[in-house]
Amino acid sequence: MDWLTTVDHKKIAILYLIAGGFFFGIGGIEALLIRVQLWKPMNTFVTAQQFNELITMHGTTMIFLGVMPIIFAIMNAVIPLQIGARDVAFPFLNSLGFWTFLFGGLLLNLSWFMGGAPDGGWTAYAPLSSTTYSTTHGVDFYTIGLQIAGLGTLIGGINFLATIITMRAPGMSFMRMPMFTWTTFVTSAMILFAFPAITVGLVLLSFDRILGANFFNVAGGGNPVLWQHIFWIFGHPEVYILILPAFGIISEVVSTFSRKRLFGYSSMVFATILIAFLGFMVWAHHMFTTGMGPVANALFAIATMLIAVPTGIKIFNWLFTMWGGQITFNTANLFAIGFIPTFVMGGVTGVMLGSAPADYQFHDTYFVVAHFHYVIVGGLVLGLFSGLHYWWPKMFGRVLNETLGKIEFWTFIIGFHLTFFLQHFLGLVGMQRRVFTYLPNQGFDLMNMLSTVGAFLMGVGVILFLVNVVITARKPVGVENDPWGDGRTLEWAIPSPPPEYNFKQLPLVRGIDAYWKEKMAGNKEMTPAEPVGSIHMPSPTIIPFVMSVGLFIAGLGFMFTTDDFGNSFLNFLFNNYIVVIIGLGITFGSMIVHSLYDDAGWHIEPEEIDGKGAEA
Amino acid sequence: MMKRWKAGKRLVPLFVGLTFLLSACGREDLSALRPQGPVAQGQFDLMKLAITIMLSVLVIVFGIAAYVLIKFRRKPGDKEMPKQVEGNHLLEIIWTGIPLILVLVLAVATVQKVFAYGENYWEDKDAVRVKVTSHLFWWEFNYPDYDITTAQDLIIPTNKKIAFQLKTADVIHSFWVPSLGGKTDTNTEGTINTAWLEAEKEGVYLGKCAELCGPSHALMEFKVKAVSQESFDNWVAAIKQPVEPIQDPALAEVFKTQCLSCHAVGDQGGPMGPNLTGIGNRETVAGILINEEGSNKPFPGKPVKDNLIEWLTNPQEVKPGNHMPSPKEDLGLTDEEIEGIAEYLANVKLNY
């Protein structure tokens, strides 16, 4: 019950981690089923229809329900601590964001049990995603599930923006913010601009499907290419929404374990902003073969290649952060070091894809599959593992097992390269992506087989991580504030795990890498910026949970409004929008309750703080 | 200038090595790395340029990374904090400038080729015009200048520009013949694309659908058959010849009512399904069942009659989700009738 009502950012982080991990597992199982099917030519392990459902759900689940929430978990756990805040700006919204994400994700995955999952690819291109060609409710689950889940992401993004703008500790100017905070800030801004686009697209598509609108229907005056533009205006920035936090994590980890400050901090900040900006300018490079004409293709090609420049700045800055340092090779840093070359490989193939005429050959082949898995798995997932190992002690008060961690790293990264490196060549020799099978003797057989072996190795790596988590959970809590010994940022100045209020007294920040600076000055703890006083805390509340349940019910009801259940009572309930009304009633009702009931929160008094023996 | 020349000199052996390495990859009639026409060749050159630049980037980054990781490990004696470096403007300018130059080199080549391949040859008198229409899950090829419609096997003369207009009859597909050139989407009415290809050698090239289009997306293949101008002219003449009907009147009736309502053979039948004229010596049945009678046999196929029987007995098994009614289940044809029709169709051949 405590977990359903919590508004504490640290607990919400754990909720995000568990839920994100759960969906990540589902997405991973889907990936393995895909690889089993492609193990040999003309395999019949799954049917063509099931395969299309698997690839659609694998992509959708991993992007929206797997890695995004795990990013949010880390952000939630770390950001308030890094900027010296007691919570996020809007704790209630933070909880609401989590619950809408969870219920949106559950709704999407219900499709497996309710007559068919979405099957139009994660991009759901029209007209394939229209009711004419996708006849099950799969795509309805996609549009409505993602709208609800996307709401959570948007709420989270806005919350982090507000938090970082308004709640930095005294002395922490923007140019003294840790790099992870910076990337979170920029990522949140991108979410703010990108997610409304996908929401609009999903609304239009559900109108087409459920209410018979014609936005993407040529016969009715619509245009399917419109969907592609809307989707990618969101879809391309989304890639950077995913990767920027990983950049932040790597910056923190590499710097800590080289015992050096980040090389070229201001150019890193500048590069991050530039990447975000360019990220919005290049969406049409997903559409070079759509027929936009040579002028548009040329412009988008050049804009795309330009992204290599700020990304290159980052890569070299990381390398020169390590230059002259004292590098410790623990698991967190292994993942970070593994990230650098792997991500560079994903980056260079990105530039290759940006060259439009060459893209005519690469587009929609396994070359693209290889490329974006190098970026998303080789970049983001390695980054996430690095971040999880790095901040685990801060979140849970226990250090993950190092030996197991190293085995986990090597299995995962070897499996990863085995799986995806070969896929570049599969694409170049003529294998399209999203094929449920392939004819023998085309030169695809051996590479596909090895790729499948690699995928299972990656699976073993992930399982080892889970084993590590379980083993670690059985150890007693109680590592010190700064278990790595070289922590540089504010979160390492407080106990692990932090007390409910994070900082007894808000710290005074006197430069970049605030905690490290104090340590170098010979201080054991941060200089406080305020006297010890009573700390205001927000009250726990069940309302966000109830609101999300309401949206879940309304979404489910909306989908089936035109169905005939062969049961007059059910028909009555659904066809008259009664279920929708009940669902929305629950949501709006809880909003009204929340508005009318004035909850001023509660306070932790100084005596209690001292009683707990917590230190600022 | 001097510096760039030096860098260029270093890239040459890499470039040559790459050509050898990459050109050994994949089947000649399928791989984008073994181009068989000017469009694919140009795209392959661009690819090699890009790969060369990118490999040199990788070598530099990996080199620095390896050096750093070996040289700057933390040793047991490292008690003192290393020197904290804020940054270095000169270095940062260098690693902003060099990528910018590399990107520019690639951008120039890219823009050049974008416009070359964006050229529209539809009005060119020397080009052969073909209207491509994609269907779930087959390809229709219409030659407006010859008044010919065929399916699955696209016959083209060598060393001539083939100008395409591409559209779809249902969902979006993508027209792709890797060894001749990159892909172009087939959009719906109103956003019709153009493209062009050219084959230098006679031969059969594998074509694929590259945009997810439903269950049988993987199986929506076609063949491009490049032949001499003479053979092409013969083919144009041959396909217009009347096709001899089925002798057995009962079977002929079944064929007419059940098959010709959608398919055309010679001057009879309808345009709903793939045109079957000349199916007896096409490369494949349904795009994926390889025929012994076809000309492209790097791997053995089966007799066209067997393939036809396999297809007609259970089309959903061969190509899930296709729109053909099952002759057996939906149309009530017996095994004998199916065999008779397969026998007949196997003999509908074109000499060219």
Side-chain angles (χ1 to χ4, degrees):
Chain A
M1 200 56 200
D2 187 26
W3 289 97
L4 298 183
T5 58
T6 183
V7 292
D8 178 10
H9 72 98
K10 296 175 287 295
K11 282 189 169 171
I12 289 176
I14 294 169
L15 286 174
Y16 264 119
L17 189 61
I18 294 168
F22 169 71
F23 287 122
F24 185 83
I26 293 182
I29 291 167
E30 285 157 357
L32 290 179
L33 294 177
I34 291 170
R35 281 319 316 173
V36 171
Q37 165 67 11
L38 294 173
W39 157 260
K40 59 174 189 182
M42 300 308 278
N43 200 0
T44 52
F45 177 68
V46 294
T47 66
Q49 174 64 26
Q50 285 165 343
F51 185 86
N52 287 352
E53 292 176 7
L54 281 174
I55 54 160
T56 305
M57 286 300 281
H58 167 67
T60 313
T61 304
M62 281 304 198
I63 299 242
F64 291 100
L65 311 176
V67 289
M68 286 278 288
I70 298 178
I71 294 172
F72 268 56
I74 297 182
M75 287 178 177
N76 259 306
V78 174
I79 293 300
L81 307 183
Q82 270 201 337
I83 62 173
R86 293 210 167 100
D87 205 324
V88 292
F90 306 109
F92 177 90
L93 282 186
N94 201 18
S95 152
L96 180 64
F98 169 74
W99 291 111
T100 50
F101 140 69
L102 180 67
F103 280 101
L106 290 177
L107 184 67
L108 181 56
N109 274 281
L110 260 189
S111 63
W112 285 117
F113 310 104
M114 294 183 70
D119 56 2
W122 87 280
T123 56
Y125 273 18
L128 184 63
S129 55
S130 70
T131 41
T132 322
Y133 302 104
S134 184
T135 49
T136 66
H137 275 296
V139 179
D140 298 325
F141 279 102
Y142 171 92
T143 56
I144 293 171
L146 288 189
Q147 278 174 59
I148 297 175
L151 209 57
T153 310
L154 191 53
I155 292 172
I158 293 171
N159 210 344
F160 282 121
L161 278 179
T163 306
I164 294 171
I165 292 173
T166 60
M167 295 180 68
R168 281 166 291 130
M172 181 175 279
S173 64
F174 270 96
M175 291 312 277
R176 283 179 182 176
M177 276 183 348
M179 209 50 219
F180 182 62
T181 305
W182 253 115
T183 56
T184 300
F185 181 66
V186 176
T187 301
S188 304
M190 294 188 81
I191 289 174
L192 181 64
F193 291 109
F195 266 74
I198 187 71
T199 309
V200 167
L202 292 170
V203 168
L204 299 185
L205 187 58
S206 38
F207 279 12
D208 266 18
R209 287 185 57 92
I210 297 168
L211 304 178
N214 287 313
F215 292 104
F216 308 118
N217 177 7
V218 183
N223 186 344
V225 178
L226 175 65
W227 167 263
Q228 298 183 21
H229 281 289
I230 296 177
F231 185 86
W232 288 117
I233 283 172
F234 146 79
H236 195 80
E238 168 71 10
V239 178
Y240 294 94
I241 292 173
L242 296 177
I243 198 65
L244 285 181
F247 286 174
I249 294 170
I250 302 304
S251 301
E252 302 285 329
V253 174
V254 162
S255 150
T256 302
F257 296 115
S258 307
R259 311 183 83 202
K260 271 188 69 198
R261 68 172 282 176
L262 192 63
F263 192 91
Y265 173 83
S266 46
S267 67
M268 283 299 229
V269 172
F270 176 69
T272 308
I273 296 170
L274 199 61
I275 290 172
F277 178 75
L278 287 172
F280 277 98
M281 301 294 133
V282 297
W283 79 90
H285 71 212
H286 297 261
M287 299 165 61
F288 282 147
T289 67
T290 306
M292 300 181 300
V295 176
N297 277 6
L299 288 173
F300 280 105
I302 294 171
T304 303
M305 292 178 194
L306 280 180
I307 296 185
V309 177
T311 314
I313 294 177
K314 286 190 160 275
I315 300 285
F316 285 107
N317 277 340
W318 287 322
L319 291 176
F320 278 79
T321 302
M322 293 191 279
W323 192 292
Q326 298 160 356
I327 307 171
T328 312
F329 291 87
N330 57 15
T331 313
N333 202 27
L334 276 179
F335 275 110
I337 292 168
F339 166 96
I340 296 174
T342 311
F343 182 78
V344 172
M345 287 171 72
V348 296
T349 51
V351 179
M352 291 172 67
L353 283 164
S355 176
D359 181 71
Y360 303 159
Q361 290 282 22
F362 302 140
H363 183 73
D364 267 337
T365 68
Y366 260 83
F367 188 87
V368 173
V369 177
H371 158 71
F372 69 72
H373 281 94
Y374 261 86
V375 175
I376 298 180
V377 182
L380 175 59
V381 175
L382 288 182
L384 286 178
F385 273 124
S386 173
L388 286 174
H389 280 271
Y390 180 59
W391 279 303
W392 201 267
K394 187 49 66 185
M395 288 175 75
F396 297 99
R398 308 172 177 94
V399 184
L400 285 168
N401 184 304
E402 273 299 318
T403 320
L404 206 52
K406 283 175 184 160
I407 301 173
E408 168 197 313
F409 166 75
W410 286 111
T411 8
F412 189 81
I413 200 158
I414 292 170
F416 166 79
H417 284 281
L418 185 59
T419 310
F420 295 110
F421 186 67
L422 291 168
Q423 292 186 356
H424 291 114
F425 295 94
L426 271 177
L428 293 173
V429 300
M431 182 162 162
Q432 328 91 296
R433 66 190 276 213
R434 294 164 161 171
V435 286
F436 79 97
T437 192
Y438 48 95
L439 301 181
N441 299 323
Q442 298 187 98
F444 302 165
D445 306 9
L446 180 66
M447 284 193 272
N448 268 301
M449 190 179 277
L450 290 173
S451 192
T452 303
V453 174
F456 275 90
L457 263 180
M458 288 169 74
V460 171
V462 175
I463 290 170
L464 286 175
F465 175 74
L466 292 180
V467 171
N468 198 346
V469 168
V470 172
I471 291 177
T472 307
R474 291 163 63 181
K475 286 193 291 193
V477 180
V479 296
E480 42 198 308
N481 291 3
D482 182 11
W484 307 119
D486 290 313
R488 309 178 71 84
T489 40
L490 282 178
E491 73 268 32
W492 305 111
I494 53 172
S496 326
E500 205 175 351
Y501 45 82
N502 296 351
F503 295 89
K504 184 169 87 175
Q505 293 159 286
L506 291 185
L508 180 68
V509 174
R510 297 200 290 184
I512 195 170
D513 292 334
Y515 183 49
W516 182 85
K517 212 171 173 70
E518 297 294 332
K519 280 195 288 188
M520 288 303 109
N523 300 332
K524 287 262 182 285
E525 52 189 63
M526 296 300 297
T527 317
E530 57 171 18
V532 180
S534 107
I535 298 171
H536 177 242
M537 301 296 290
S539 309
T541 162
I542 190 79
I543 292 178
F545 177 82
V546 177
M547 277 172 76
S548 310
V549 172
L551 284 176
F552 177 84
I553 295 172
L556 208 56
F558 188 56
M559 227 182 292
F560 292 98
T561 44
T562 52
D563 278 41
D564 183 16
F565 292 86
N567 170 323
S568 58
F569 178 64
L570 280 180
N571 282 351
F572 172 75
L573 275 186
F574 280 90
N575 297 358
N576 294 312
Y577 294 91
I578 291 175
V579 180
V580 182
I581 293 167
I582 294 174
L584 289 180
I586 295 174
T587 303
F588 288 117
S590 359
M591 285 163 126
I592 292 169
V593 170
H594 181 60
S595 306
L596 294 181
Y597 175 62
D598 191 20
D599 187 348
W602 53 288
H603 286 82
I604 301 179
E605 299 307 328
E607 307 81 64
E608 285 179 71
I609 299 171
D610 287 336
K612 283 180 187 166
E615 285 171 23
Chain B
M1 202 59 214
M2 194 62 190
K3 253 190 176 158
R4 265 184 71 187
W5 181 80
K6 266 186 184 160
K9 207 170 92 177
R10 254 184 307 172
L11 292 183
V12 171
L14 203 59
F15 203 81
V16 174
L18 262 176
T19 311
F20 283 112
L21 190 72
L22 293 179
S23 57
C25 276
R27 265 169 70 168
E28 199 179 46
D29 55 354
L30 173 62
S31 173
L33 301 176
R34 306 182 70 179
Q36 306 295 324
V39 178
Q41 182 64 49
Q43 287 163 343
F44 182 54
D45 291 342
L46 193 56
M47 255 184 237
K48 280 191 293 185
L49 174 68
I51 296 177
T52 310
I53 294 174
M54 296 309 146
L55 273 181
S56 51
V57 171
L58 285 187
V59 168
I60 293 167
V61 172
F62 285 20
I64 297 176
Y67 175 77
V68 167
L69 293 180
I70 293 165
K71 180 87 196 283
F72 300 109
R73 307 172 146 263
R74 185 169 187 182
K75 295 159 199 88
D78 289 337
K79 293 275 184 279
E80 286 295 304
M81 267 288 162
K83 187 164 168 269
Q84 303 292 308
V85 187
E86 194 171 318
N88 183 319
H89 279 297
L90 181 68
L91 278 175
E92 287 169 55
I93 289 167
I94 290 174
W95 62 60
T96 313
I98 292 178
L100 211 56
I101 293 169
L102 293 178
V103 162
L104 269 178
V105 171
L106 189 58
V108 169
T110 297
V111 172
Q112 238 173 8
K113 291 211 159 71
V114 160
F115 284 93
Y117 302 142
E119 204 71 56
N120 186 353
Y121 289 100
W122 191 253
E123 299 304 332
D124 187 334
K125 292 280 170 287
D126 292 331
V128 175
R129 301 204 274 188
V130 182
K131 285 186 174 174
V132 176
T133 309
S134 53
H135 299 259
L136 293 166
F137 296 94
W138 59 281
W139 297 86
E140 179 183 319
F141 305 112
N142 173 266
Y143 301 67
D145 298 327
Y146 303 100
D147 195 23
I148 291 173
T149 300
T150 183
Q152 294 303 61
D153 280 15
L154 171 67
I155 314 290
I156 58 169
T158 50
N159 293 313
K160 263 197 138 172
K161 288 204 168 64
I162 317 297
F164 295 102
Q165 271 195 352
L166 305 116
K167 66 164 185 176
T168 181
D170 34 61
V171 305
I172 294 171
H173 305 268
S174 197
F175 177 83
W176 185 34
V177 193
S179 53
L180 294 185
K183 55 192 78 64
T184 311
D185 288 2
T186 62
N187 292 333
T188 46
E189 208 68 60
T191 41
I192 290 177
N193 282 328
T194 59
W196 67 278
L197 293 176
E198 188 178 329
E200 277 162 350
K201 288 192 299 190
E202 289 183 32
V204 176
Y205 305 104
L206 273 56
K208 290 168 182 267
C209 172
E211 180 67 67
L212 178 66
C213 56
S216 279
H217 163 56
L219 306 174
M220 194 176 152
E221 304 202 348
F222 62 100
K223 306 285 176 287
V224 177
K225 197 167 172 184
V227 296
S228 66
Q229 183 66 45
E230 193 192 352
S231 298
F232 181 73
D233 294 335
N234 290 343
W235 175 75
V236 170
I239 201 167
K240 292 190 169 179
Q241 299 299 316
V243 175
E244 201 171 311
I246 302 184
Q247 299 300 328
D248 177 3
L251 194 60
E253 183 58 25
V254 172
F255 187 65
K256 193 180 161 204
T257 54
Q258 305 294 18
C259 305
L260 291 180
S261 50
C262 294
H263 296 278
V265 178
D267 54 353
Q268 301 188 14
M272 290 269 292
N275 187 304
L276 300 177
T277 317
I279 193 162
N281 52 350
R282 278 205 190 140
E283 298 299 323
T284 57
V285 167
I288 42 171
L289 304 172
I290 298 166
N291 292 339
E292 236 171 33
E293 287 80 355
S295 53
N296 182 42
K297 287 192 291 288
F299 302 100
K302 281 193 285 188
V304 65
K305 187 185 159 191
D306 294 3
N307 282 337
L308 280 165
I309 291 173
E310 184 178 347
W311 169 250
L312 290 170
T313 310
N314 195 346
Q316 287 303 326
E317 173 119 12
V318 179
K319 243 181 181 176
N322 78 78
H323 286 179
M324 175 154 140
S326 165
K328 224 168 153 174
E329 319 248 308
D330 304 326
L331 305 176
L333 270 65
T334 63
D335 285 341
E336 290 74 41
E337 285 168 335
I338 287 176
E339 202 188 328
I341 288 170
E343 173 86 50
Y344 165 73
L345 285 175
N347 288 313
V348 180
K349 295 186 178 175
L350 292 175
N351 288 320
Y352 58 97

